[in-house]
Amino acid sequence: MLKFKIMLIALVALVYYGVTYCMLSRSTCQYYADYYLFDARSFSIKQELAFKQTPIKKITDFFHVYRFNVNERNLRVIGFARYEENGLWTDGNTSKLSFLLSSTSSDVLLYFNIDPYVNARNPEIYTEVYLEDRQIAKWDFIYGKKMPKTIIKLAKKEIPSDLLINLTFKIEGMNSPQKLGYGDDTRKLGLSFNSIEVRPKN
């Protein structure tokens, strides 16, 4: 009986610690749940740290269309699947993109060419876009309805002094073709990034 009470107290303490930790470190707790429990996130914290330490070798030029079907030296990505002819699919509920801007004295517009993985069996994809930790865009892709504009404005005051742009895409509604009965592909597809063009607003 005593051992049972000790085990019960230890279990309650463990649950209390877990709940308290998740309240104080919500993003970390969410990562562990997504990565280890639900298999919804395709990269680990260790892989994310390595991603952040990978140098970007080229500055992104204005008015140049960069395609995502090859490994561009100026674009750093994680949370995406393999490069394909048309572009690069997100894999899981979180993807990240980083690049270096050219020096600018005005606001900057990011023109994304994107195809969502929506169809009769997967009718909705919702995406929130963050610059660092601040939400800057929201895209709702709904099967059979008009596509939202995938243009993002970066205000001059929001652009970091080091000109390093870190974007995070948080995706709901991603799904695997295998689960939907469309083949053997087990990747959890959300958005296909085809290209990006960066322009100064003025």
Side-chain angles (χ1 to χ4, degrees):
M1 188 66 177
L2 180 60
K3 288 184 178 180
F4 175 75
K5 289 182 178 179
I6 293 174
M7 289 178 60
L8 186 60
I9 292 172
L11 180 61
V12 171
L14 185 62
V15 171
Y16 176 79
Y17 171 79
V19 171
T20 303
Y21 180 80
C22 286
M23 290 176 64
L24 297 176
S25 304
R26 186 174 180 180
S27 59
T28 303
C29 196
Q30 183 69 51
Y31 154 74
Y32 281 112
D34 288 345
Y35 187 71
Y36 290 106
L37 295 179
F38 306 122
D39 192 30
R41 181 168 166 151
S42 64
F43 57 93
S44 66
I45 288 180
K46 183 178 180 180
Q47 290 171 322
E48 185 175 355
L49 289 175
F51 159 78
K52 291 179 178 178
Q53 293 169 2
T54 303
I56 297 174
K57 298 180 180 180
K58 292 180 66 178
I59 293 175
T60 300
D61 297 321
F62 291 128
F63 303 109
H64 179 87
V65 177
Y66 293 91
R67 293 191 56 79
F68 285 90
N69 60 354
V70 293
N71 187 4
E72 293 278 10
R73 295 173 64 198
N74 65 301
L75 300 177
R76 187 173 66 189
V77 298
I78 192 172
F80 290 83
R82 60 183 177 270
Y83 292 96
E84 298 181 2
E85 182 179 354
N86 293 329
L88 193 59
W89 280 103
T90 61
D91 186 8
N93 65 2
T94 305
S95 299
K96 293 177 179 285
L97 165 67
S98 299
F99 55 90
L100 282 170
L101 280 179
S102 299
S103 181
T104 179
S105 59
S106 70
D107 299 343
V108 171
L109 299 175
L110 309 179
Y111 288 79
F112 284 97
N113 184 331
I114 288 175
D115 289 321
Y117 187 61
V118 292
N119 50 57
R121 299 180 184 177
N122 197 63
E124 299 170 343
I125 295 282
Y126 299 111
T127 304
E128 293 179 350
V129 187
Y130 292 81
L131 175 63
E132 299 296 347
D133 296 323
R134 193 176 69 80
Q135 184 177 334
I136 57 173
K138 189 175 187 299
W139 301 330
D140 295 341
F141 301 96
I142 300 175
Y143 182 60
K145 293 191 176 181
K146 185 178 179 181
M147 291 264 290
K149 290 184 178 180
T150 51
I151 303 172
I152 295 176
K153 174 186 172 183
L154 302 179
K156 177 65 174 66
K157 62 181 180 181
E158 298 170 348
I159 298 174
S161 58
D162 62 0
L163 301 176
L164 177 61
I165 303 301
N166 293 309
L167 299 178
T168 299
F169 303 88
K170 296 185 178 181
I171 302 166
E172 292 183 14
M174 74 285 179
N175 222 321
S176 72
Q178 184 191 57
K179 183 178 179 181
L180 299 177
Y182 289 142
D184 298 326
D185 193 341
T186 58
R187 298 173 299 172
K188 295 186 176 180
L189 306 180
L191 305 176
S192 174
F193 281 68
N194 304 323
S195 66
I196 180 176
E197 182 182 358
V198 183
R199 303 180 193 171
K201 186 179 179 183
N202 299 328

